[in-house]
Amino acid sequence: MRLSQMLFVTLREDPAEAEIPSHKLLLRAGYMRRIASGVYAYLPLLWRVLNKISAIVREEMDATGAQECLLPQLQPSDLWKESGRWDTYTKAEGIMFSLIDRRDQEMGLGPTHEEVITAIARDMIRSYRQLPLNLYQIQTKFRDEIRSRFGLMRGREFIMKDAYSFHADEDSLKATYQDMYTAYTNILQRCGLKFRAVDADSGAIGGSGSTEFMVLADAGEDEVLYTEDGKYAANVEKAISLPADAVPSTFTKFEKLDTPNTPTIESLSQLLKCSPTQIVKNVLYQVVYDTGRTVLVLVNIRGDQDVNDTKLQNELSKLAGNYGASAVIALDVPDEDMQGKWAAKPLPLGYIAPDLADDYIQSGLKDVEPKFLRMVDQTAVDLQNFVTGSNESGYHTVGGNWDQDYPKPSLVVDVREAQAGDRATHDPTQTLKTARGIEIGHIFQLGQKYSQAMGATYTAESGEEVPLWMGCYGVGVSRLAQSAVEQSHDKNGIIWPVAISPYHAIVVVPNVSDEAQMTAAEQLYTDLNAAGVETLLDDRNERAGVKFKDSELVGIPFRIVTGRSLKSGKVEVVQRATGESQEIEIADVVPTLQQWVADAL
Amino acid sequence: MRLSQMLFVTLREDPAEAEIPSHKLLLRAGYMRRIASGVYAYLPLLWRVLNKISAIVREEMDATGAQECLLPQLQPSDLWKESGRWDTYTKAEGIMFSLIDRRDQEMGLGPTHEEVITAIARDMIRSYRQLPLNLYQIQTKFRDEIRSRFGLMRGREFIMKDAYSFHADEDSLKATYQDMYTAYTNILQRCGLKFRAVDADSGAIGGSGSTEFMVLADAGEDEVLYTEDGKYAANVEKAISLPADAVPSTFTKFEKLDTPNTPTIESLSQLLKCSPTQIVKNVLYQVVYDTGRTVLVLVNIRGDQDVNDTKLQNELSKLAGNYGASAVIALDVPDEDMQGKWAAKPLPLGYIAPDLADDYIQSGLKDVEPKFLRMVDQTAVDLQNFVTGSNESGYHTVGGNWDQDYPKPSLVVDVREAQAGDRATHDPTQTLKTARGIEIGHIFQLGQKYSQAMGATYTAESGEEVPLWMGCYGVGVSRLAQSAVEQSHDKNGIIWPVAISPYHAIVVVPNVSDEAQMTAAEQLYTDLNAAGVETLLDDRNERAGVKFKDSELVGIPFRIVTGRSLKSGKVEVVQRATGESQEIEIADVVPTLQQWVADAL
């Protein structure tokens, strides 16, 4: 393609709408334009990148025997009501766009396709002889994000590859899950990305196990904890670790002490000259279930530890029993509005005891059960002679013990957040390291969650009707494109991995009025494209400096300049990633570039 | 692909939901499943067909220099308000799905992309040096059809290729329009379809000229009129012709006659022994503008002619002045509900005079202007001494003349429907023939309609700011797939054109327990695929008869059977289109099939 004939517009300034480097660069280099919040037009250069990623995804999926299809984006609410997710997705979490059609039917815009594919499986899969099956699609998906941001990272309209597998039993599911793990590893390697596969929380999708594929980048929204022996990596939402050992408490007598101005663990441990590991911290959460019901939850946890919201949410969902579909909102401190409605008097924030006293609860709520739930984290349940709040501002108790001084909650949970520096559970000599990641892929063992809810069964060899075993597997195609930019750029622009660059090479003519330059460039442009090296020709009537800057901004891996060295039968070839420049005989350009491209793929 | 590992399910019975052959066959052969009204899942076989069509479309578009991109499906209402189409599309015609997002913003689901692309052009195109440009995408579109039906023919979610070109002047637009005409011709030829390019009405898209590409099939929703000299073809909505000459009237005296039981032209002309060409027929329409205003329209037309709704709609839109955005609903006879609301007394249906008398109009409406519009078709304006209604049931007048007996409407229009048998305007010795067609492509010269409304200008060489000239060009990709089936099938199933068949060949093993049969089949399956002949292997443990039936239903062009003739080193090869069967040496199968496929592409 000739730049003079392309929709090729670059910007000198960073657009105000963009916060992170990849978002700025994709806008400045003319890859995309914003049409609405979280909604982008993918311009021709970006479309080529997305196609290359899709082609790699397709090849790796096809190699596993998966079959491509295309499912509807418009989804009838009935199917989502069968699975029990309609309210969660449209109301509680509100991430599914929904509409009413001209027949007054409710429809959702697919953020994911478990319901649709399960309905198809229910219709078409009758016998164990049809199993296993793995169906996938590459498609635009929709999520009405509360905070759409960072361009393609968290858009409201984005491209996904999603696959759904069906199995006669769990072993078959696990085998396909492993195939998908391998396929995803291949996809990310072939795209030229640095990444990590990590244990993950399954969230609203549900199921028994899941792995996320994280592209490593500082702007990643997720925190990954891993060990350097390569044996453990997990999203912080899911990560486990051994907490530091608690320092034995020296407070052997239970008593209430005057501890003014110590609402934080730090100030309290300083005043009492004790270790935070000797303190039981009591954190109050306001939880909104997707049924609309609000419950207060008091979590007791060791003073040096924090509650992980996702783990807490999962514990609460388990209690709700609605196969994980429950949504909760957790607040570190009760908001003022709630205090008025719920609490009878101002709460002793910073001084709450492990059992929040009954007289804090608004009388009208006393008969609502449960008015609040208590749970104790594993780190706090083992403590003895601990320091904790007294339910009275300015006072703490020391030397406390469960069941003696405070009733021990019957709910003992693991909701602590693992931290960098913690010891690993698989090998306590390893400590957890931290990294930022962008979630690009997520694979799930769904089990029979959807097939059971929607009655998708098959006839086993024994003649028995059995709910299908299912897995699902997603890759964010458009997000992957931007994550590559986030991982690979410099101050001058994008540095595309060759495999997903919109073009491999660009021939730059410094001066288009120079006939020799143009002739050489045209010939190279034609020959390179004929040889399979996808090449742009910058034949615009612009200054050489502008063209060089643009080629760096756009990030094409190899730049060929038909400049001064033409006199000696050579052209300059510059590698974008290293900045390395060399002069090459014109006759050698095609084979050299062919080799470079082949080496990089 | 092995059928034993595919999602391959055929049905013996026609599904109740399907009316036309192609719809039945695509469901029966397992190409798709209905998820909601007008919303289908495209299963792996259909997805291959759609990909092949898309690949042909892409090649032909790329060959013209058009650039592929992908625009959002979610479109902010603001853009559609700028063009003036929001109300038309969401309310009056109601074909755009719309929703409110979590920020209370109105969004539409794109049925077409003039607004979005014009917004991008406004942002990115600054100079004549960037022109011309042609951008296209292949994408799922949405239309909330009143009557979605016939499967992929009129779905609510469907795949389109849409292209939008931008130009400095009308000549450049016309050149690209011509390129698109050629590209569309190539696309349909390469897909192996019988089709006709016809003059068309531009409808709600607007603009100055348009051509439709019609795939010919009996179940087509559109009527095409054409001449056998190949010089004229048009959609009946747009077609022009010379009406038959009127027979001079012999009623020289204006008088009212008792004509009981003659509410139709046929009964009236029989009673009066006159030609229908001597009668002025008066047809009443109820018209709803997209502003919600209802107007009554009385059209006077010659008795042997019919009013074409689209032509009438265009005339009314012109009057509304809202650059064609007006939508009208025409009723041949006023409905009962309207009679009560509008008419003061029962209308003399079948006996209405050219000027419907004032006393029929509900008194409360008398001051609403215009309470009704009158227009006379060109065929009626030239009549003299005509027969017509009297506004009194059971009576007609004869010998009437305009301005003498009836006021001639100031609005003289051409709203008559051209008919098969009419003389052609370009050559009156040619008569129009009729055919049914399925609209697969439509190309438009939009002119400056959208660029003017949305302020998308460029700086001309003179320095002047000029609104961009635009064209737009659509192909229904999913509709094309079904139209191929509609055009090419027999009682046993689909007969795919080779170019868009999901696979070229299928190797059928009559008896999978026969080792020789399986070995030969496996070898052919491997060799054919390696040679680029896309081949299925029917290795299911089913009776041979079931497999043969399935292969015919699914419509794969070439079937290879590793049956009895194996003993003599041969296999049976059957051509789906002709049913022709021959025995071929095993060694010759690959080169023969390669040749057949190459010949057919």
Side-chain angles (χ1 to χ4, degrees), chain A residues 288-305:
Chain A
V288 182
Y289 282 89
D290 58 2
T291 55
R293 193 162 65 101
T294 298
V295 167
L296 292 176
V297 176
L298 184 67
V299 183
N300 314 133
I301 191 166
R302 208 173 73 185
D304 62 323
Q305 301 298 323

PDB file of all heavy atoms in Angstrom, chain A residues 288-305:
ATOM      1  N   VAL A 288     -23.807  -5.986  49.083  1.00  0.00           N
ATOM      2  CA  VAL A 288     -25.087  -5.951  48.376  1.00  0.00           C
ATOM      3  C   VAL A 288     -25.176  -7.196  47.508  1.00  0.00           C
ATOM      4  O   VAL A 288     -24.385  -7.386  46.599  1.00  0.00           O
ATOM      5  CB  VAL A 288     -25.209  -4.694  47.496  1.00  0.00           C
ATOM      6  CG1 VAL A 288     -26.570  -4.665  46.821  1.00  0.00           C
ATOM      7  CG2 VAL A 288     -24.986  -3.438  48.330  1.00  0.00           C
ATOM      8  N   TYR A 289     -26.115  -8.058  47.822  1.00  0.00           N
ATOM      9  CA  TYR A 289     -26.336  -9.238  46.993  1.00  0.00           C
ATOM     10  C   TYR A 289     -27.095  -8.845  45.734  1.00  0.00           C
ATOM     11  O   TYR A 289     -27.727  -7.792  45.688  1.00  0.00           O
ATOM     12  CB  TYR A 289     -27.116 -10.301  47.758  1.00  0.00           C
ATOM     13  CG  TYR A 289     -26.244 -11.063  48.713  1.00  0.00           C
ATOM     14  CD1 TYR A 289     -26.046 -10.614  50.021  1.00  0.00           C
ATOM     15  CD2 TYR A 289     -25.582 -12.212  48.306  1.00  0.00           C
ATOM     16  CE1 TYR A 289     -25.224 -11.307  50.893  1.00  0.00           C
ATOM     17  CE2 TYR A 289     -24.768 -12.909  49.166  1.00  0.00           C
ATOM     18  CZ  TYR A 289     -24.583 -12.449  50.469  1.00  0.00           C
ATOM     19  OH  TYR A 289     -23.770 -13.122  51.310  1.00  0.00           O
ATOM     20  N   ASP A 290     -27.043  -9.712  44.713  1.00  0.00           N
ATOM     21  CA  ASP A 290     -27.736  -9.334  43.479  1.00  0.00           C
ATOM     22  C   ASP A 290     -29.249  -9.389  43.636  1.00  0.00           C
ATOM     23  O   ASP A 290     -29.993  -8.939  42.777  1.00  0.00           O
ATOM     24  CB  ASP A 290     -27.249 -10.151  42.280  1.00  0.00           C
ATOM     25  CG  ASP A 290     -27.424 -11.621  42.492  1.00  0.00           C
ATOM     26  OD1 ASP A 290     -27.946 -11.998  43.551  1.00  0.00           O
ATOM     27  OD2 ASP A 290     -27.026 -12.385  41.617  1.00  0.00           O
ATOM     28  N   THR A 291     -29.720  -9.922  44.723  1.00  0.00           N
ATOM     29  CA  THR A 291     -31.157  -9.861  44.997  1.00  0.00           C
ATOM     30  C   THR A 291     -31.539  -8.488  45.517  1.00  0.00           C
ATOM     31  O   THR A 291     -32.702  -8.185  45.684  1.00  0.00           O
ATOM     32  CB  THR A 291     -31.532 -10.889  46.095  1.00  0.00           C
ATOM     33  OG1 THR A 291     -30.705 -10.617  47.233  1.00  0.00           O
ATOM     34  CG2 THR A 291     -31.296 -12.304  45.613  1.00  0.00           C
ATOM     35  N   GLY A 292     -30.521  -7.645  45.809  1.00  0.00           N
ATOM     36  CA  GLY A 292     -30.804  -6.314  46.336  1.00  0.00           C
ATOM     37  C   GLY A 292     -30.640  -6.244  47.842  1.00  0.00           C
ATOM     38  O   GLY A 292     -30.572  -5.172  48.426  1.00  0.00           O
ATOM     39  N   ARG A 293     -30.564  -7.388  48.487  1.00  0.00           N
ATOM     40  CA  ARG A 293     -30.466  -7.426  49.942  1.00  0.00           C
ATOM     41  C   ARG A 293     -29.103  -6.917  50.400  1.00  0.00           C
ATOM     42  O   ARG A 293     -28.077  -7.236  49.801  1.00  0.00           O
ATOM     43  CB  ARG A 293     -30.640  -8.871  50.421  1.00  0.00           C
ATOM     44  CG  ARG A 293     -30.857  -9.019  51.919  1.00  0.00           C
ATOM     45  CD  ARG A 293     -31.459 -10.389  52.220  1.00  0.00           C
ATOM     46  NE  ARG A 293     -30.530 -11.462  51.871  1.00  0.00           N
ATOM     47  CZ  ARG A 293     -29.780 -12.105  52.774  1.00  0.00           C
ATOM     48  NH1 ARG A 293     -29.853 -11.783  54.045  1.00  0.00           N
ATOM     49  NH2 ARG A 293     -28.980 -13.077  52.414  1.00  0.00           N
ATOM     50  N   THR A 294     -29.078  -6.083  51.430  1.00  0.00           N
ATOM     51  CA  THR A 294     -27.825  -5.587  51.990  1.00  0.00           C
ATOM     52  C   THR A 294     -27.550  -6.269  53.324  1.00  0.00           C
ATOM     53  O   THR A 294     -28.454  -6.407  54.154  1.00  0.00           O
ATOM     54  CB  THR A 294     -27.890  -4.063  52.200  1.00  0.00           C
ATOM     55  OG1 THR A 294     -28.070  -3.439  50.943  1.00  0.00           O
ATOM     56  CG2 THR A 294     -26.602  -3.555  52.827  1.00  0.00           C
ATOM     57  N   VAL A 295     -26.330  -6.708  53.510  1.00  0.00           N
ATOM     58  CA  VAL A 295     -25.942  -7.387  54.737  1.00  0.00           C
ATOM     59  C   VAL A 295     -24.622  -6.766  55.187  1.00  0.00           C
ATOM     60  O   VAL A 295     -23.838  -6.321  54.345  1.00  0.00           O
ATOM     61  CB  VAL A 295     -25.771  -8.907  54.461  1.00  0.00           C
ATOM     62  CG1 VAL A 295     -25.075  -9.600  55.623  1.00  0.00           C
ATOM     63  CG2 VAL A 295     -27.120  -9.546  54.201  1.00  0.00           C
ATOM     64  N   LEU A 296     -24.402  -6.710  56.481  1.00  0.00           N
ATOM     65  CA  LEU A 296     -23.109  -6.239  56.978  1.00  0.00           C
ATOM     66  C   LEU A 296     -22.266  -7.439  57.367  1.00  0.00           C
ATOM     67  O   LEU A 296     -22.785  -8.420  57.913  1.00  0.00           O
ATOM     68  CB  LEU A 296     -23.322  -5.331  58.189  1.00  0.00           C
ATOM     69  CG  LEU A 296     -23.997  -4.017  57.808  1.00  0.00           C
ATOM     70  CD1 LEU A 296     -24.287  -3.201  59.049  1.00  0.00           C
ATOM     71  CD2 LEU A 296     -23.128  -3.229  56.836  1.00  0.00           C
ATOM     72  N   VAL A 297     -21.011  -7.343  57.059  1.00  0.00           N
ATOM     73  CA  VAL A 297     -20.109  -8.454  57.336  1.00  0.00           C
ATOM     74  C   VAL A 297     -18.928  -7.913  58.130  1.00  0.00           C
ATOM     75  O   VAL A 297     -18.320  -6.917  57.734  1.00  0.00           O
ATOM     76  CB  VAL A 297     -19.621  -9.100  56.028  1.00  0.00           C
ATOM     77  CG1 VAL A 297     -18.609 -10.206  56.325  1.00  0.00           C
ATOM     78  CG2 VAL A 297     -20.800  -9.651  55.237  1.00  0.00           C
ATOM     79  N   LEU A 298     -18.636  -8.574  59.225  1.00  0.00           N
ATOM     80  CA  LEU A 298     -17.481  -8.182  60.022  1.00  0.00           C
ATOM     81  C   LEU A 298     -16.439  -9.284  59.886  1.00  0.00           C
ATOM     82  O   LEU A 298     -16.717 -10.450  60.182  1.00  0.00           O
ATOM     83  CB  LEU A 298     -17.887  -8.018  61.496  1.00  0.00           C
ATOM     84  CG  LEU A 298     -16.769  -7.509  62.409  1.00  0.00           C
ATOM     85  CD1 LEU A 298     -16.404  -6.074  62.051  1.00  0.00           C
ATOM     86  CD2 LEU A 298     -17.208  -7.588  63.868  1.00  0.00           C
ATOM     87  N   VAL A 299     -15.264  -8.919  59.401  1.00  0.00           N
ATOM     88  CA  VAL A 299     -14.201  -9.898  59.200  1.00  0.00           C
ATOM     89  C   VAL A 299     -13.110  -9.649  60.233  1.00  0.00           C
ATOM     90  O   VAL A 299     -12.603  -8.537  60.357  1.00  0.00           O
ATOM     91  CB  VAL A 299     -13.591  -9.785  57.789  1.00  0.00           C
ATOM     92  CG1 VAL A 299     -12.527 -10.858  57.579  1.00  0.00           C
ATOM     93  CG2 VAL A 299     -14.677  -9.896  56.727  1.00  0.00           C
ATOM     94  N   ASN A 300     -12.748 -10.702  60.966  1.00  0.00           N
ATOM     95  CA  ASN A 300     -11.612 -10.632  61.902  1.00  0.00           C
ATOM     96  C   ASN A 300     -10.391 -11.185  61.189  1.00  0.00           C
ATOM     97  O   ASN A 300     -10.424 -12.301  60.673  1.00  0.00           O
ATOM     98  CB  ASN A 300     -11.866 -11.492  63.156  1.00  0.00           C
ATOM     99  CG  ASN A 300     -13.257 -11.308  63.746  1.00  0.00           C
ATOM    100  OD1 ASN A 300     -13.937 -12.272  64.068  1.00  0.00           O
ATOM    101  ND2 ASN A 300     -13.706 -10.062  63.859  1.00  0.00           N
ATOM    102  N   ILE A 301      -9.311 -10.425  61.178  1.00  0.00           N
ATOM    103  CA  ILE A 301      -8.118 -10.863  60.467  1.00  0.00           C
ATOM    104  C   ILE A 301      -6.895 -10.370  61.228  1.00  0.00           C
ATOM    105  O   ILE A 301      -6.985  -9.401  62.002  1.00  0.00           O
ATOM    106  CB  ILE A 301      -8.144 -10.339  59.005  1.00  0.00           C
ATOM    107  CG1 ILE A 301      -7.066 -11.005  58.167  1.00  0.00           C
ATOM    108  CG2 ILE A 301      -8.048  -8.814  58.955  1.00  0.00           C
ATOM    109  CD1 ILE A 301      -7.251 -10.802  56.662  1.00  0.00           C
ATOM    110  N   ARG A 302      -5.775 -11.031  61.040  1.00  0.00           N
ATOM    111  CA  ARG A 302      -4.573 -10.652  61.779  1.00  0.00           C
ATOM    112  C   ARG A 302      -4.116  -9.271  61.344  1.00  0.00           C
ATOM    113  O   ARG A 302      -4.190  -8.935  60.161  1.00  0.00           O
ATOM    114  CB  ARG A 302      -3.469 -11.686  61.558  1.00  0.00           C
ATOM    115  CG  ARG A 302      -2.496 -11.776  62.713  1.00  0.00           C
ATOM    116  CD  ARG A 302      -1.529 -12.919  62.521  1.00  0.00           C
ATOM    117  NE  ARG A 302      -0.551 -12.609  61.485  1.00  0.00           N
ATOM    118  CZ  ARG A 302       0.353 -13.489  61.045  1.00  0.00           C
ATOM    119  NH1 ARG A 302       0.374 -14.734  61.512  1.00  0.00           N
ATOM    120  NH2 ARG A 302       1.209 -13.133  60.122  1.00  0.00           N
ATOM    121  N   GLY A 303      -3.626  -8.504  62.276  1.00  0.00           N
ATOM    122  CA  GLY A 303      -3.333  -7.090  62.059  1.00  0.00           C
ATOM    123  C   GLY A 303      -2.405  -6.786  60.901  1.00  0.00           C
ATOM    124  O   GLY A 303      -2.510  -5.718  60.282  1.00  0.00           O
ATOM    125  N   ASP A 304      -1.489  -7.686  60.580  1.00  0.00           N
ATOM    126  CA  ASP A 304      -0.540  -7.408  59.496  1.00  0.00           C
ATOM    127  C   ASP A 304      -1.085  -7.830  58.137  1.00  0.00           C
ATOM    128  O   ASP A 304      -0.397  -7.703  57.137  1.00  0.00           O
ATOM    129  CB  ASP A 304       0.787  -8.125  59.770  1.00  0.00           C
ATOM    130  CG  ASP A 304       0.608  -9.636  59.813  1.00  0.00           C
ATOM    131  OD1 ASP A 304      -0.448 -10.110  60.319  1.00  0.00           O
ATOM    132  OD2 ASP A 304       1.491 -10.357  59.319  1.00  0.00           O
ATOM    133  N   GLN A 305      -2.300  -8.348  58.095  1.00  0.00           N
ATOM    134  CA  GLN A 305      -2.862  -8.864  56.847  1.00  0.00           C
ATOM    135  C   GLN A 305      -4.003  -7.980  56.352  1.00  0.00           C
ATOM    136  O   GLN A 305      -4.602  -7.241  57.125  1.00  0.00           O
ATOM    137  CB  GLN A 305      -3.395 -10.292  57.060  1.00  0.00           C
ATOM    138  CG  GLN A 305      -2.357 -11.278  57.537  1.00  0.00           C
ATOM    139  CD  GLN A 305      -1.230 -11.466  56.533  1.00  0.00           C
ATOM    140  OE1 GLN A 305      -1.467 -11.454  55.322  1.00  0.00           O
ATOM    141  NE2 GLN A 305      -0.002 -11.596  57.027  1.00  0.00           N
TER     142      GLN A 305
END
